[in-house]
Amino acid sequence: GAGVSQSPSNKVTEKGKDVELRCDPISGHTALYWYRQSLGQGLEFLIYFQGNSAPDKSGLPSDRFSAERTGGSVSTLTIQRTQQEDSAVYLCASSTLLGGEGTQYFGPGTRLLVL
Amino acid sequence: GEDVEQSLFLSVREGDSSVINCTYTDSSSTYLYWYKQEPGAGLQLLTYIFSNMDMKQDQRLTVLLNKKDKHLSLRIADTQTGDSAIYFCAEKKRAGSARQLTFGSGTQLTVLP
């Protein structure tokens, strides 16, 4: 079956420009997560959407970062006025809320390079 | 410091066993996970263990959990070159609304021929 997809796979942008990253979760998964993976680092939680509830934005590093999830499915992560330190791999994951372990399934990521 | 800690590198010979260790700090963690990341790819779930279990075995993989010491390990038997990857330990800190995972920085496993 189809897994989590993300686009674009790679994005090179200039400092100060805005970028939009897209995530298509697994059909039927009500929970969606964004993480950031910097070079040689673990994954840093950014934001979590659960159904129609207000998202948990506690991991967003600054107000330049925002995300939305339309229709309970596709999500877009927007970074405004990009900085070089925003360069990282941005990973999206989705899960069901059925059962306890709520396994998160990850997409392949978007590799963002800010010049 | 990091909530979840792992050593950065591990090298083993093909055919040997690999043991990747992880320590976590939240005793209320309900589930602990091992993910594998191959170069240029996303994270692939390998296995997970519920906090009331001590051990879980799945083919070549054995997960051991020492809840008292907050120590988790992943043993890969008969390690193959295809096992070369970064392995991430992750914890889900509590049940309920906080469902995001906290990851370690990953252990780069290199399998030598």
Side-chain angles (χ1 to χ4, degrees), chain B:
Chain B
E2 298 212 0
D3 291 348
V4 180
E5 295 188 351
Q6 303 177 238
S7 53
L8 291 180
F9 302 101
L10 175 66
S11 293
V12 299
R13 293 282 179 192
E14 190 173 13
D16 289 349
S17 292
S18 307
V19 179
I20 303 171
N21 295 302
C22 170
T23 57
Y24 60 100
T25 60
D26 192 335
S27 59
S28 68
S29 292
T30 53
Y31 287 90
L32 296 124
Y33 303 79
W34 284 104
Y35 281 86
K36 176 184 180 182
Q37 185 179 36
E38 296 183 3
L43 272 71
Q44 171 196 354
L45 177 70
L46 284 180
T47 188
Y48 65 89
I49 188 168
F50 186 46
S51 58
N52 70 350
M53 298 170 64
D54 297 325
M55 186 182 83
K56 181 177 181 180
Q57 187 156 5
D58 182 3
Q59 299 182 334
R60 293 190 297 121
L61 305 179
T62 303
V63 178
L64 295 178
L65 176 61
N66 181 329
K67 200 172 179 184
K68 173 177 172 291
D69 294 337
K70 300 187 189 72
H71 183 265
L72 181 75
S73 68
L74 173 69
R75 179 178 181 270
I76 306 172
D78 186 25
T79 313
Q80 303 298 307
T81 55
D83 295 325
S84 292
I86 301 175
Y87 290 80
F88 290 94
C89 167
E91 62 176 338
K92 190 172 86 162
K93 291 198 171 183
R94 60 185 187 271
S97 62
R99 300 186 69 89
Q100 63 267 27
L101 303 181
T102 302
F103 286 83
S105 56
T107 299
Q108 172 75 60
L109 173 64
T110 301
V111 182
L112 305 171

